Amino acid sequence: MTITYSKLLCHIDLDAIRHNYRQMKSMGGNIIAVIKSDAYGHGLIETARALVAEGAETFAVGYVHEAVQLKEAGIPGRIIALLGPVDKDDCEAMIEHDIIGFVGHFETLARLAYHSEGRPVRVSLKFDTGMSRLGFTCEDLPKLKAFLRGRPNVVPVMASSHLAVADEPERVSMTEKQAATFGEIVQDLRASGFRVEANLANSAAIMGHPGCHHDSQRAGIALYGGNPFAGTEWEHLGAELKPAMAVSAPILHVHQLDKGVSISYGHTYTAERDMTVAVVGAGYADCYSRGLSNTGFMNIGGVRCPIVGRVCMQMTAVDISALAEQGALPKTGDDVWLLGGPGEGSILPQDLADWWGTITYEVFCVLGLNRRAFLNE
Ligand SMILES: *Cc1c(COP(=O)(O)O)cnc(C)c1O
């Protein structure tokens, strides 16, 4: 689903995604490409195709119906649904399309066993080792193994768990604790004859915690050029990642704002001197957060221009006095960059996330709801 009323355009560089995939592969070895939520806003099918060309063989999405979209688009390889089967339709689809669903609770396992009616279905056993969200616990193991022995058509091909603080170098001990618990679980399953492929690592753990690598690793944010260690002492680990998304919007109007005149709803900004502003066609209805009011910047011709006043539904004003002084005044219809863009003013995903008060994941997912243009397909 794409926003159709906006003039924002997401420029998706598939070469950058392939480059980042190779980076992850060089660090991890056996990468499961996490392309849930429309590939973090980068386009599910286009991203999958780019990665297939790069040799990717396993993909992970959220719900089962997103996995079905990949199958129906003819994407080869294994497809994992990280959120597992939620209802009867999901169970049926898992069986019909041979989708591997994460399963972390006995109710889910029982539902799947019931709807499978003896037909084979593959699952990844999900364990809670510290996230306290979803998953079986160590204590569940005896009952879990007994259940699986009684239902041989439900085939556990993987064991998985998810890390809570892998992107925080100062909390290594928590990650090590989760890794130790997971290691014991995997050992127990294997000792009982379950030949599971173990995966624990997310992007941060691929880059910073080799002890978590196991058989395969689930890379998400790093594929899109988000550095999970941005702003930390391990930032250098992501130095080679390339942002894959840039976002542009058109200038609607350029005008003077005289000293003492206020602009936009609430008059929250008043010109301290005579200045020049551009009104840009981007606002919160286009998923450009109102939280950026008087806080963020846009890149115009390589120069970072500060937002002045409130971000509106489909408009935002920026101070372009610096451009006016250079004699490089933009005009109506010119593109400005909310993310990326040329020159020294290029806006990194982490910059926008910081101004926005969020993480790069959210920036990508929501801006990615706008129309896309693909580069280097
Ligand atoms: C989203 C997700 C990932 C990927 O995490 P990143 O931090 O984006 O690398 C891995 N595993 C699970 C279970 C996920 O939900």
Side-chain angles (χ1 to χ4, degrees):
M1 202 181 53
T2 301
I3 296 174
T4 51
Y5 52 74
S6 90
K7 282 268 192 195
L8 262 65
L9 192 59
C10 295
H11 306 253
I12 308 295
D13 182 353
L14 295 173
D15 249 356
I17 294 178
R18 286 188 290 257
H19 163 89
N20 296 331
Y21 175 78
R22 288 193 295 273
Q23 282 276 310
M24 288 297 100
K25 222 171 143 178
S26 73
M27 294 178 183
N30 189 12
I31 298 297
I32 295 170
V34 180
I35 54 173
K36 66 189 179 201
S37 303
D38 212 6
Y40 293 40
H42 291 67
L44 178 72
I45 305 300
E46 293 84 354
T47 301
R49 286 207 181 112
L51 292 173
V52 166
E54 202 56 46
E57 290 170 345
T58 310
F59 297 93
V61 295
Y63 289 108
V64 170
H65 66 261
E66 201 177 17
V68 172
Q69 273 177 266
L70 279 176
K71 288 284 184 183
E72 287 180 343
I75 301 300
R78 299 187 300 176
I79 316 237
I80 298 165
L82 297 168
L83 294 169
V86 177
D87 50 33
K88 179 175 186 283
D89 286 352
D90 287 351
C91 294
E92 288 290 345
M94 269 179 68
I95 295 160
E96 184 186 337
H97 295 282
D98 193 19
I99 291 158
I100 301 169
F102 267 39
V103 175
H105 299 277
F106 286 108
E107 309 93 277
T108 317
L109 208 49
R111 192 186 309 119
L112 194 57
Y114 175 77
H115 291 299
S116 67
E117 297 170 339
R119 293 168 290 173
V121 58
R122 297 194 291 173
V123 298
S124 175
L125 300 174
K126 171 154 192 183
F127 292 92
D128 175 17
T129 58
M131 188 71 130
S132 308
R133 237 170 26 171
L134 300 174
F136 296 108
T137 62
C138 294
E139 291 72 45
D140 289 330
L141 272 171
K143 187 176 160 193
L144 178 59
K145 290 186 288 187
F147 183 99
L148 292 167
R149 287 203 183 94
R151 300 281 193 161
N153 66 307
V154 179
V155 186
V157 292
M158 284 184 187
S160 310
S161 186
H162 199 38
L163 296 166
V165 296
D167 55 354
E168 297 182 45
E170 65 282 7
R171 296 171 78 184
V172 166
S173 63
M174 179 62 214
T175 299
E176 284 170 352
K177 194 165 159 237
Q178 283 197 256
T181 307
F182 184 65
E184 283 166 27
I185 291 167
V186 171
Q187 221 173 8
D188 183 308
L189 286 167
R190 288 183 179 154
S192 304
F194 294 99
R195 295 172 55 189
V196 287
E197 172 183 327
N199 50 70
L200 173 64
N202 55 4
S203 296
I206 292 167
M207 297 161 67
H209 302 279
C212 294
H213 285 185
H214 289 276
D215 302 316
S216 49
Q217 308 85 32
R218 306 185 303 266
I221 194 70
L223 294 179
Y224 312 103
N227 182 354
F229 293 118
T232 76
E233 60 192 273
W234 289 5
E235 184 159 4
H236 60 281
L237 295 176
E240 301 296 319
L241 298 171
K242 290 183 187 166
M245 182 188 288
V247 182
S248 64
I251 290 179
L252 305 180
H253 187 60
V254 171
H255 63 88
Q256 301 303 306
L257 192 69
D258 293 337
K259 183 178 175 189
V261 175
S262 302
I263 188 166
S264 192
Y265 286 117
H267 277 184
T268 60
Y269 183 88
T270 303
E272 286 162 5
R273 53 189 158 74
D274 287 349
M275 57 198 285
T276 311
V277 295
V279 179
V280 175
Y284 55 79
D286 316 316
C287 294
Y288 192 66
S289 174
R290 188 169 175 276
L292 292 161
S293 299
N294 289 308
T295 302
F297 297 78
M298 295 185 191
N299 174 5
I300 308 184
V303 176
R304 283 193 178 182
C305 303
I307 292 173
V308 288
R310 288 212 178 122
V311 172
C312 309
M313 191 178 287
Q314 294 190 288
M315 284 188 252
T316 300
V318 288
D319 173 9
I320 57 166
S321 302
L323 287 165
E325 280 155 25
Q326 289 175 18
L329 211 57
K331 58 185 188 309
T332 300
D334 286 357
D335 274 338
V336 311
W337 297 88
L338 316 184
L339 182 62
E344 283 192 9
S346 183
I347 294 168
L348 294 173
Q350 191 62 43
D351 298 331
L352 184 53
D354 288 344
W355 302 329
W356 192 312
T358 185
I359 52 175
T360 56
Y361 299 69
E362 185 178 2
V363 167
F364 292 150
C365 285
V366 303
L367 284 178
L369 293 169
N370 291 284
R371 288 171 306 127
R372 299 187 191 105
F374 291 92
L375 289 85
N376 304 311
E377 257 181 291

